[in-house]
Amino acid sequence: MRIRILPVLVLLALAAGCATAPKQTRNICAVFDQRDGMFTSWQRAAEKTERKYGVPVPILMATMYTESGFQPYARPPRTKLFGFIPWTRPSTAYGYSQALDGTWDHYQSATGSFAARRTNFADAIDFIGWYHSQNSQTTGIPLNDAYNLYLAYYSGPKGYMRGDWRSNGQLQKTAQRFSNMAVTYQQQLQGCN
């Protein structure tokens, strides 16, 4: 009887470990070390996405760091009705990539990835690569221009081209922090084993 329970417990422990954010998220080597499992490897998934779409791994990972802090079930906080009653969320952003419902549906349709989930790291990183690549093709932003890629990721390609971000100082600061994190991840990645 105990022998039958052990594999179930092991699988539950593995699943629980994948459903939480890594403890060290500001060091890309540590993130990859913490998520280098037998069945899933975040580093392999990120490198596969880089090969597929041309978006550098540090930009992919900085996107996920900025958007969700590597939390698989991240959502924007609810607004408050009368200042204290939890109400609606400001958007449908969800999962590692914080992809909106409509954008995620478009990704699934365009790539044929109908089983993809926003709470699955490999699916979410593939979405991020796809979306940055689409934005690059639409706007002309180079795939290594972290600052502008983030502005387009947040604003959408039409909003970016209209310049909606120009009047949003907070978004510009976030894009700068994002760009700095991508540079940090790039420097760290060179020293990963």
Side-chain angles (χ1 to χ4, degrees):
M1 185 74 169
R2 278 196 167 141
I3 294 173
R4 290 185 198 163
I5 294 175
L6 186 59
V8 172
L9 292 176
V10 169
L11 285 174
L12 286 174
L14 286 172
C18 294
T20 59
K23 293 192 186 321
Q24 299 176 32
T25 59
R26 296 187 59 80
N27 184 306
I28 197 167
C29 303
V31 170
F32 287 153
D33 285 346
Q34 293 170 84
R35 292 298 184 264
D36 186 20
M38 184 169 35
F39 301 108
T40 58
S41 166
W42 284 15
Q43 185 169 3
R44 281 195 307 267
E47 289 169 349
K48 178 181 176 185
T49 299
E50 179 181 46
R51 287 190 302 274
K52 188 173 179 181
Y53 298 109
V55 182
V57 167
I59 290 177
L60 296 168
M61 296 298 285
T63 303
M64 198 170 289
Y65 171 85
T66 303
E67 289 297 291
S68 69
F70 300 104
Q71 296 286 339
Y73 303 105
R75 290 184 186 273
R78 290 185 178 278
T79 58
K80 303 283 187 196
L81 182 65
F82 304 119
F84 67 95
I85 300 171
W87 201 241
T88 60
R89 297 184 193 279
S91 79
T92 60
Y94 180 61
Y96 285 116
S97 62
Q98 290 295 283
L100 300 173
D101 288 352
T103 310
W104 187 260
D105 291 345
H106 180 64
Y107 159 74
Q108 288 181 305
S109 178
T111 62
S113 303
F114 295 104
R117 296 181 332 270
R118 289 180 274 186
T119 56
N120 176 286
F121 179 86
D123 294 339
I125 200 91
D126 189 77
F127 167 83
I128 291 169
W130 172 82
Y131 195 62
H132 280 319
S133 174
Q134 294 295 303
N135 285 342
S136 173
Q137 291 171 23
T138 303
T139 64
I141 300 168
L143 290 174
N144 62 354
D145 181 349
Y147 181 83
N148 285 293
L149 280 177
Y150 185 77
L151 292 174
Y153 190 90
Y154 187 88
S155 303
K158 290 179 183 173
Y160 175 83
M161 302 219 4
R162 278 193 309 264
D164 292 353
W165 52 272
R166 292 185 206 286
S167 60
N168 188 335
Q170 185 59 44
L171 175 57
Q172 292 175 50
K173 287 177 186 175
T174 302
Q176 189 58 58
R177 283 194 304 273
F178 167 83
S179 181
N180 294 343
M181 182 54 74
V183 168
T184 299
Y185 277 171
Q186 176 62 45
Q187 293 167 346
Q188 292 167 345
L189 193 58
Q190 295 170 2
C192 294
N193 295 334

